[in-house]
Amino acid sequence: MPRRLVIAAIAAAGLGIGPAAPRDLEGALAACRAIAAEAGRLACYDRLVAPTSLAHFAGKGSAVTAAFTLDGPARLDFASQDVVMVIYLLDAEGAVVQNLHRAGAGEGSFLIRRPGTYSIQVNATGEWQIEVLPEPAAPQG
């Protein structure tokens, strides 16, 4: 859900990219306010908050992104607006850590488990967006 908010915000900013329509935030807030149980209401509000982006990239066709550094696990969310998108997650030396594919318009995600410095090579036939978001820590029990 958060990546759709980010992509919707990109589209709303007039960039003309992003498959999701802007979310009805006013309606979502009203729905949360209507929850009687405090724990449920707070959980509802928590789900509305989009995580702070660690890195964001958008483009058309092929590109290599600037390097970015992760201190912990992060989720790489990607969206393609066209037929083919191939993503290479590269380490600091330029070696391929993970090869990801998106056939057709749509979204995908990959968990980057290790801290480090990375960049991304994108080969695509159309517009694309990539967002790197912090992965929430697992609850301690």
Side-chain angles (χ1 to χ4, degrees):
M1 185 183 319
R3 76 173 164 249
R4 291 181 188 274
L5 287 174
V6 171
I7 293 169
I10 293 168
L15 298 178
I17 51 181
R23 187 167 177 204
D24 176 17
L25 189 55
E26 186 175 320
L29 286 170
C32 289
R33 275 194 294 281
I35 297 172
E38 183 176 350
R41 188 172 56 255
L42 292 175
C44 181
Y45 286 132
D46 286 345
R47 285 190 299 273
L48 295 178
V49 178
T52 302
S53 176
L54 300 172
H56 173 264
F57 309 101
K60 183 175 183 178
S62 298
V64 176
T65 69
F68 56 94
T69 301
L70 302 178
D71 295 331
R75 190 179 73 238
L76 186 148
D77 290 342
F78 52 93
S80 174
Q81 309 308 310
D82 208 354
V83 179
V84 176
M85 179 180 187
V86 178
I87 301 168
Y88 300 98
L89 178 64
L90 308 173
D91 66 15
E93 289 76 41
V96 176
V97 174
Q98 184 67 38
N99 183 349
L100 303 161
H101 301 269
R102 175 76 222 164
E107 301 173 355
S109 184
F110 174 74
L111 178 62
I112 304 171
R113 296 181 190 277
R114 296 190 176 164
T117 300
Y118 298 93
S119 61
I120 301 167
Q121 178 181 334
V122 179
N123 298 329
T125 57
E127 294 178 339
W128 50 267
Q129 303 86 37
I130 295 174
E131 191 81 18
V132 181
L133 302 164
E135 185 66 15
Q140 300 294 319

